[in-house]
């Protein structure tokens, strides 16, 4: 392929066009049609609009992909890491050059706003660039030996073939932060993306192929969730990396344990924002809104719980609802829109059902109840931003809105008399991915670092957001195995060999 971001032979539509794209599988360097059932990717704002369609992979396709990965991995591992990184640099440049058109495709397929779609494409390029420079970082360690004439080296080796299962909500950024470190550390990849976002998966694979990635090192198989189970069960797969729901992640982890292969899992979150009495309420109300409702609340780090100091709770909620009154929800390709739809109608029904159950259990709707939903009866998968307050004194942990990840634009609110009570409410969750604390008191910050068992803690900023050079992941039941991104990625995608060296 040329250095440009080419369209595979199975596709009839260039990046950014508004027609229907024909999907293909990438197996051993070739774009081929899937041999399974027919898959359609629809625009969640206009379900009658088909964004992409094509055949899905069957087990024979998966087997060919795994064989191709195994056959290509050894030579790739022996390729100097700087050469491997150069492929990622070129892919990053290709994505940057196509950020506007790919951002539009992302908005049409996943439902993010145009601004968010373009920003995600650029984030994927940033991640590729970060890992492309891995050859300039520490490659191993040197230790002194207690024996004369000997040195001890600790070197790093790739795992081999890595199976990757990625979610719908960040269809190009999350694949980037899995696939980039896997490749740069000398692994080959077989990748199954979420079946709701196959077009963006194909575009990311195109960028790497156009950048000169040798055949077989990245294989894209599009299909149903059962394909992910088959991937972890494949005897040719040496490790799995997964991001998605807790139920699916635990099921895959069980299969990985049976086979004795390492599994990295990023799963659920029920992230709390704590606004204490001394907080900057303008800043806090802005950041809580962004954390809860940007990306339509469809991210594992979204703010889905809000804990307010009693003394400022009423004032804060007034400021938050005032901001929400100007928060426009609609077709994300409209540049004036702040929030698009959820991923599909099934998700809309599930989230609405959760809201109704929470209200039935005693939650009070401050904004966006299903009865007030201005999108009721419309074809798009839209939900109004929803704020639910749990009554004081109620055992909030029993309320579905406080306990379960609805994965949509829903914010559950409780009040606390003291910072200690606020910390206790935040810990009422089996998850521990992210939290946000709003306070100006340093002593309270230091207390929170000890009291909040989360993988990511934001101080005076929204609960969502991460950078590629630092670890990403949670505690408790939010994560399995080594964390992602930064130096932590090396801990998963490589293993060590300790070398006792005598001259």
């Amino acid at each position: 392929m040329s250095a440009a971001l080419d369209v595979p032979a199975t596709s009839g539509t260039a990046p950014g066009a508004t027609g229907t794209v024909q999907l293909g599988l990438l197996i051993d360097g070739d774009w081929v049609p899937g041999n399974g059932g027919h898959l359609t990717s629809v625009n969640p704002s206009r379900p009658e609009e088909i964004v992409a369609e094509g055949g899905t992979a069957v087990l024979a396709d998966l087997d060919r992909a795994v064989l191709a990965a195994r056959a290509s991995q050894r030579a790739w591992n022996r390729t100097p890491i700087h050469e491997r990184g150069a492929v990622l640099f070129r892919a990053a440049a290709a994505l940057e050059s196509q950020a506007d058109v790919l951002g539009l495709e992302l908005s049409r397929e996943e439902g993010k706003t145009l601004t968010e779609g373009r920003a995600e494409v650029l984030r994927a390029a940033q991640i590729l660039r970060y890992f492309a420079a891995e050859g300039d970082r520490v490659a191993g360690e040197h230790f002194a030996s207690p024996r004369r004439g000997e040195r001890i080296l600790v070197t790093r080796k790739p795992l081999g073939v890595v199976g990757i299962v990625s979610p719908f909500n960040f269809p190009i950024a999350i694949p980037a932060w899995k696939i980039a470190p896997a490749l740069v550390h000398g692994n080959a990849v077989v990748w199954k993306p979420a079946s709701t976002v196959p077009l963006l998966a194909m575009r990311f694979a195109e960028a790497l192929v156009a950048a000169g990635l040798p055949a077989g090192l990245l294989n894209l198989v599009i299909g149903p969730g059962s394909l992910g189970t088959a991937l972890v069960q494949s005897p040719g797969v040496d490790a799995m990396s997964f991001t998605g729901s807790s139920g699916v992640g635990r099921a895959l982890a069980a299969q990985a344990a049976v086979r004795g292969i390492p599994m990295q899992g990023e799963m659920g979150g029920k992230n709390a924002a704590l606004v204490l009495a001394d907080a900057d309420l303008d800043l806090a109300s802005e950041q809580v809104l962004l954390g809860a409702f940007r990306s339509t609340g469809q991210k594992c780090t979204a703010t889905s719980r809000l804990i307010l100091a009693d003394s400022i709770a009423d004032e804060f909620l007034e400021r938050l609802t005032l901001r929400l009154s100007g928060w426009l929800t609609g077709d994300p390709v409209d540049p004036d829109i702040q929030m698009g739809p959820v991923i599909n109608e099934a998700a809309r029904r599930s989230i609405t059902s959760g809201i109704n159950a929470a209200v039935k259990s005693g939650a009070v709707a401050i904004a966006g109840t299903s009865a007030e939903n201005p999108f009721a009866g419309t074809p798009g998968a839209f939900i109004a931003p929803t704020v639910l307050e749990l009554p004081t004194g109620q055992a909030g942990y029993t309320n579905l809105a406080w306990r379960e990840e609805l994965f949509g634009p829903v914010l559950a609110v409780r009040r606390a008399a003291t910072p200690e009570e606020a910390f206790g409410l935040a810990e009422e969750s089996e998850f521990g991915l992210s939290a946000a604390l709003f306070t100006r008191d340093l002593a309270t910050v230091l207390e929170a670092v000890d009291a909040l068992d989360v993988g990511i803690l934001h101080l005076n900023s929204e609960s969502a957001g991460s950078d590629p050079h630092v670890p990403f992941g949670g505690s408790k039941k939010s994560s399995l195995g080594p964390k992602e991104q930064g130096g932590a990625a090396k801990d998963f995608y490589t293993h060590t060999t300790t070398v006792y060296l005598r001259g």
Side-chain angles (χ1 to χ4, degrees):
M1 289 189 173
S2 68
L5 191 58
D6 290 337
V7 182
T10 54
S11 171
T13 308
T18 56
T20 300
V21 177
Q22 292 301 306
L23 297 169
L25 313 179
L26 178 62
I27 299 178
D28 201 13
D30 294 325
W31 289 99
V32 297
N35 296 308
H38 191 72
L39 174 69
T40 58
S41 174
V42 302
N43 183 337
S45 298
R46 303 188 186 95
E48 74 283 357
E49 181 182 300
I50 298 176
V51 177
E53 63 180 345
T56 59
V58 296
L59 291 181
D61 297 319
L62 179 64
D63 290 343
R64 288 194 298 118
V66 173
L67 287 173
R70 293 210 72 81
S72 62
Q73 188 269 329
R74 182 179 293 271
W76 180 243
N77 178 41
R78 293 179 176 177
T79 300
I81 190 170
H82 287 85
E83 292 183 25
R84 301 197 297 256
V87 174
L88 302 187
F89 275 124
R90 292 193 293 269
L95 292 181
E96 287 173 337
S97 71
Q98 298 280 346
D100 290 335
V101 293
L102 296 184
L104 174 61
E105 287 187 334
L106 197 156
S107 294
R108 292 180 62 231
E109 183 173 54
E110 193 273 344
K112 280 189 175 73
T113 64
L114 276 175
T115 298
E116 289 179 299
R118 183 177 187 276
E120 184 179 335
V121 174
L122 292 176
R123 172 52 65 93
Q126 179 192 18
I127 293 165
L128 287 170
R129 287 189 186 281
Y130 172 80
F131 286 107
E134 192 68 18
D136 296 333
R137 303 186 183 105
V138 174
E141 296 174 287
H142 173 211
F143 293 87
S145 172
R147 292 165 292 278
R148 289 178 181 270
E150 182 179 75
R151 296 291 184 267
I152 303 175
L153 308 178
V154 177
T155 64
R156 293 272 182 173
K157 293 182 179 179
L159 301 177
V161 175
V162 180
I164 288 176
V165 177
S166 61
F168 76 83
N169 57 329
F170 286 89
I172 198 165
I174 288 179
W177 81 41
K178 292 177 181 293
I179 293 170
L183 291 176
V184 82
H185 286 299
N187 299 280
V189 170
V190 180
W191 171 31
K192 194 210 89 66
S195 58
T196 47
V197 288
L199 175 56
L200 266 295
M202 194 173 73
R203 296 308 192 205
F204 184 66
E206 286 173 8
L208 285 162
V209 171
L213 185 69
L217 291 170
L218 175 62
N219 300 273
L220 173 65
V221 289
I222 297 169
S226 59
L227 207 61
T229 302
L231 183 57
V232 72
Q233 293 173 339
S234 172
V237 170
D238 301 300
M240 283 291 296
S241 180
F242 167 83
T243 296
S245 70
S246 295
V248 174
R250 291 169 189 171
L252 292 179
Q255 294 290 329
V258 168
R259 290 199 51 234
I261 63 172
M263 163 89 176
Q264 177 189 65
E266 290 300 333
M267 299 178 293
K270 195 65 182 171
N271 312 296
L274 300 82
V275 183
L276 303 185
D278 65 334
D280 179 334
L281 297 189
D282 279 336
L283 171 68
S285 60
E286 174 199 49
Q287 292 296 302
V288 167
L289 182 148
L290 295 176
F293 303 120
R294 196 151 54 181
S295 300
T296 323
Q298 297 178 123
K299 47 190 174 186
C300 55
T301 53
T303 303
S304 57
R305 297 186 296 151
L306 174 62
I307 301 163
L308 300 174
D310 276 331
S311 60
I312 53 88
D314 290 335
E315 181 181 357
F316 181 91
L317 290 173
E318 287 178 6
R319 295 186 189 215
L320 180 62
T321 53
L322 179 61
R323 288 182 182 275
L324 274 177
S325 66
W327 188 254
L328 299 178
T329 302
D331 191 332
V333 301
D334 181 340
D336 295 326
I337 291 297
Q338 281 95 20
M339 191 176 89
V342 293
I343 186 63
N344 54 29
E345 175 61 21
R348 190 196 69 79
R349 288 196 302 268
S350 175
I351 296 164
T352 301
S353 176
I355 294 170
N356 292 337
V359 171
K360 186 176 181 179
S361 297
V364 177
I366 297 173
T369 69
S370 57
E372 298 171 354
N373 185 357
F375 306 105
T378 63
F382 297 104
I383 296 178
T386 300
V387 181
L388 304 173
E389 183 169 7
L390 276 60
T392 302
Q394 182 181 17
Y397 195 56
T398 64
N399 192 292
L400 178 145
W402 193 257
R403 184 183 70 250
E404 296 186 15
E405 187 180 30
L406 298 179
F407 219 66
V410 183
L411 180 64
V413 184
R414 293 177 74 183
R415 304 186 184 210
T418 65
E420 291 73 23
E421 183 182 358
F423 297 152
L425 292 177
E427 284 297 294
E428 286 187 350
S429 176
E430 67 177 356
F431 300 117
L433 181 53
S434 179
L437 174 67
F438 295 88
T439 182
R440 306 182 203 196
D441 183 68
L442 179 58
T444 302
V445 169
L446 294 176
E447 183 181 354
V449 171
D450 290 333
L452 300 177
D453 187 9
V454 292
I456 304 165
L457 178 59
H458 290 263
L459 301 171
N460 297 313
S461 62
E462 62 167 299
S463 64
S466 62
D467 289 305
H469 64 292
V470 292
F472 176 89
S475 65
K476 298 189 280 190
K477 293 185 178 180
S478 287
S479 296
L480 287 170
K483 293 186 178 181
E484 299 190 281
Q485 301 200 83
K490 184 186 295 184
D491 293 332
F492 178 70
Y493 289 106
T494 67
H495 70 81
T496 59
T497 296
T498 302
V499 181
Y500 292 86
L501 179 63
R502 283 179 181 250

